[in-house]
């Protein structure tokens, strides 16, 4: 397996524009997580899915953020409208089971909002 | 929810010496404690983990110890090598959810 695949690797956009980040989890994994990494706040869990169903979105910072998982092999994280403070590295991770197993992370998407 | 504190934020050691990174957690119900290594431009990668039913686990030069009473766990790296230079994160389960709460990270620098 190629691991968790995220696209794009880098995204630069202007404030107010819509941004869509994409993730393909490892085949067979039931859980998919979206994390955000910044210098100030470190790694924060935004939302996670189990069997394509959103379970906990309490980490999503604002209504401008939304995430979907239309099938087992694809998820998106959308920011609309984007703001400079959304600049961060966004990671997708997947696991095969609940707590207590390895989470496999993608390479991340570095988002810069100018 | 869970709160994870990690120290130090930066650690510089001579090649060949040992490095120790410490974390504390707040939720006494937590039972799984992984450590992740993140290299520049990459996502975090699991290097070792420990469950609450054991006090120590070793994997070659890496070991993790857990003190459930004190609610702290530590990462020990012996005979450090240049390739050990990276940012290390400890983590614990995020309360009743299935995600992880991460520490703020330790930038480990191995001096030649």
């Amino acid at each position: 397996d190629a691991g968790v695949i995220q696209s794009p690797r880098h995204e630069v956009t202007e404030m107010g524009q819509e941004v869509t980040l994409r993730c393909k989890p490892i085949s067979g994994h039931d859980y998919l997580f979206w994390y955000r990494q910044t210098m100030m706040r470190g790694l924060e869990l935004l939302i996670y899915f189990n069997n394509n169903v959103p379970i906990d979105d309490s980490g999503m910072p604002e209504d401008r953020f939304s995430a979907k998982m239309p099938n087992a092999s694809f998820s998106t994280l959308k920011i609309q409208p984007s703001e400079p403070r959304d600049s961060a590295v966004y990671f997708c991770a997947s696991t095969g089971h609940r707590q207590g197993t390895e989470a496999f992370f993608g390479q991340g998407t570095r988002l810069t909002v100018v | 929810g869970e709160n994870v504190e990690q120290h130090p934020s930066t650690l510089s050691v001579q090649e060949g010496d040992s490095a120790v990174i410490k974390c504390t957690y707040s939720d006494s119900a937590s039972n799984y404690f992984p450590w992740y290594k993140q290299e520049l431009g990459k996502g975090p990668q699991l290097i070792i983990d420990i469950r609450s039913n054991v006090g120590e686990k070793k994997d070659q030069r890496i070991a993790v110890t857990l003190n459930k009473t004190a609610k702290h766990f530590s990462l020990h790296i012996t005979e450090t090598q240049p390739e050990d230079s990276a940012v290390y994160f400890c983590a614990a389960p995020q309360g009743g959810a299935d995600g992880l709460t991460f520490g703020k990270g330790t930038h480990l620098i191995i001096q030649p």
Side-chain angles (χ1 to χ4, degrees):
Chain A
D1 200 310
V4 175
I5 300 173
Q6 292 186 245
S7 64
R9 289 296 311 277
H10 303 274
E11 177 80 39
V12 180
T13 190
E14 291 186 346
M15 182 174 63
Q17 296 297 306
E18 177 180 297
V19 176
T20 300
L21 312 181
R22 297 172 174 79
C23 175
K24 176 179 167 50
I26 292 174
S27 176
H29 279 188
D30 296 332
Y31 287 82
L32 183 140
F33 305 85
W34 282 100
Y35 288 89
R36 178 173 67 176
Q37 185 175 37
T38 61
M39 288 295 294
M40 289 299 295
R41 301 174 68 88
L43 273 161
E44 303 172 279
L45 177 64
L46 300 178
I47 184 172
Y48 76 94
F49 296 81
N50 175 217
N51 290 323
N52 314 337
V53 176
I55 302 301
D56 186 350
D57 66 353
S58 60
M60 297 284 260
E62 299 173 35
D63 291 344
R64 299 183 296 104
F65 286 69
S66 63
K68 294 182 179 179
M69 192 165 186
N71 57 63
S73 58
F74 183 65
S75 176
T76 59
L77 178 67
K78 184 179 293 186
I79 309 173
Q80 165 65 17
S82 57
E83 297 183 3
R85 60 194 166 120
D86 301 331
S87 297
V89 181
Y90 291 81
F91 287 102
C92 175
S94 69
T95 72
H97 304 285
R98 292 198 64 198
Q99 291 181 16
T101 58
E102 180 175 1
F104 292 85
F105 283 76
Q107 298 273 55
T109 295
R110 179 173 294 278
L111 173 65
T112 304
V113 183
V114 298
Chain B
E2 179 68 276
N3 183 43
V4 177
E5 300 283 341
Q6 182 171 347
H7 301 279
S9 57
T10 304
L11 178 60
S12 181
V13 301
Q14 290 293 126
E15 182 179 349
D17 288 349
S18 296
V20 180
I21 303 170
K22 299 181 179 181
C23 286
T24 61
Y25 61 98
S26 60
D27 188 351
S28 56
S30 289
N31 57 7
Y32 174 66
F33 307 93
W35 285 89
Y36 284 80
K37 176 182 180 182
Q38 186 177 26
E39 297 177 336
L40 198 61
K42 297 185 177 181
Q45 185 173 14
L46 181 74
I47 55 171
I48 194 167
D49 57 16
I50 191 168
R51 300 179 195 282
S52 58
N53 57 345
V54 298
E56 182 175 2
K57 182 177 178 181
K58 291 185 71 173
D59 182 3
Q60 300 182 335
R61 297 185 298 107
I62 295 173
V64 57
T65 58
L66 171 65
N67 183 328
K68 285 220 73 178
T69 302
K71 290 191 282 189
H72 67 70
F73 56 113
S74 300
L75 177 71
H76 305 253
I77 305 174
T78 59
E79 301 172 19
T80 53
Q81 301 170 3
E83 55 264 35
D84 295 329
S85 293
V87 180
Y88 292 81
F89 294 93
C90 61
Q94 186 155 312
D98 294 305
L100 293 170
T101 296
F102 285 85
K104 289 292 175 65
T106 296
H107 185 193
L108 178 61
I109 302 165
I110 308 301
Q111 304 278 7

